[in-house]
Amino acid sequence: MAELDRGERVEMMVDIYESAGAVTLQDTRPQRTGGKSGSRRPRLAALCLGLLCALLLITNILLYMHYVHGKENLDFTAERESLLSRIRNLTEERDQLKNSYQNLTEEKIQLNKTLTENYRNLHTTYIKSLAMLSHLKEWEKFGSSYYYFTSEGKTWSEARQDCRDRGADLVIINSIEEQEFINKKNKYVWIGLSDAEAEGQWKWVDGSPLTIEFWKDHEPSNTDANEDCATFNPNTQKTWNDIHCSCKAGWICEFPLIYPQEIH
Ligand SMILES: [Ca+2]
Ligand SMILES: [Ca+2]
Ligand SMILES: [Ca+2]
């Protein structure tokens, strides 16, 4: 061996390695051939398992979607019932409000009527008060009224108009005290009593019927069927007489501080 040159030793070592590699390849080649057919089964199993997992996943997704959809349907039904209930409640409230509105409208109309009537009465009283104040020094107070006496000759209607112009009306005799008060003035005058609207049905100028009477004997006579206005003839206890309304006489105006309908 020592006699072998360097080139021969190298060739020998190459041959040894190649022989060793060939042996190694011959040992391993059959094993690789047998392993190729055996590795297909795990891959197929893995593929099937993957498919099963995918199928299971899809199934789960479908079940979840079905569950969610069903739950949404239930939620929708409950919400629909809730909304219907609210609609019913709102409808009832609307009907109640409608009734309340109608009642309030009727009350408003009634209040407006009352207010208008009160305003009209107040305005009338105001105008009467102004007229009364302008002639106050000519008036005489007795009881709860002011009285204006005049002997100027006018018809019953003219006399009444004069009283109205003064914010008052012809006198209404409500008591024996008022009768005696007027009697003491000793004036022949018109009083606010007439049966012009219905013969024999004597009424005061405010529309009230007689509550106390002081007719002279045999009066009211309605002489010539045309005596519809009452005069006051002083100096007797019974002083009233009906005469023609177109006759001339003095008159008495009365401005009550209390309205006649408030006197009981
Ligand atoms: Ca009176
Ligand atoms: Ca008459
Ligand atoms: Ca008469």
Side-chain angles (χ1 to χ4, degrees), residues 145 147 171-174 178 254:
S145 294
Y147 298 86
V171 67
I172 297 173
I173 299 174
N174 310 100
E178 194 173 21
E254 180 183 7

Side-chain angles (χ1 to χ4, degrees), residues 195-196 198-200 202 220-223 225-229 242-243:
D195 73 339
E199 177 57 39
W202 291 90
S221 59
N222 198 37
T223 302
N226 195 23
E227 291 186 334
D228 296 335
C229 297
D242 59 338
I243 64 171

Side-chain angles (χ1 to χ4, degrees), residues 155-261:
T155 66
W156 189 87
S157 295
E158 291 171 344
R160 188 181 185 196
Q161 187 58 50
D162 178 79
C163 290
R164 287 180 162 179
D165 291 343
R166 296 171 188 274
D169 210 332
L170 285 170
V171 67
I172 297 173
I173 299 174
N174 310 100
S175 65
I176 189 169
E177 290 81 8
E178 194 173 21
Q179 166 74 11
E180 290 174 350
F181 164 72
I182 294 171
N183 199 15
K184 288 176 184 175
K185 298 300 177 183
N186 197 28
K187 291 180 181 297
Y188 176 66
V189 290
W190 292 115
I191 59 176
L193 187 60
S194 170
D195 73 339
E197 289 185 6
E199 177 57 39
Q201 296 182 15
W202 291 90
K203 287 184 179 179
W204 296 105
V205 285
D206 66 349
S208 61
L210 292 175
T211 55
I212 189 169
E213 303 181 28
F214 300 97
W215 292 108
K216 294 168 67 74
D217 292 339
H218 312 296
E219 301 294 347
S221 59
N222 198 37
T223 302
D224 299 331
N226 195 23
E227 291 186 334
D228 296 335
C229 297
T231 55
F232 195 101
N233 299 268
N235 298 322
T236 58
Q237 189 174 6
K238 298 178 180 178
T239 62
W240 301 357
N241 179 30
D242 59 338
I243 64 171
H244 291 198
C245 296
S246 58
C247 292
K248 303 282 187 176
W251 64 94
I252 305 173
C253 302
E254 180 183 7
F255 182 87
L257 298 177
I258 302 174
Y259 285 105
Q261 57 266 32

Side-chain angles (χ1 to χ4, degrees), residues 40-53:
R40 287 179 181 173
R41 292 174 184 167
R43 286 182 182 177
L44 184 60
L47 181 61
C48 291
L49 182 60
L51 288 174
L52 283 174
C53 289

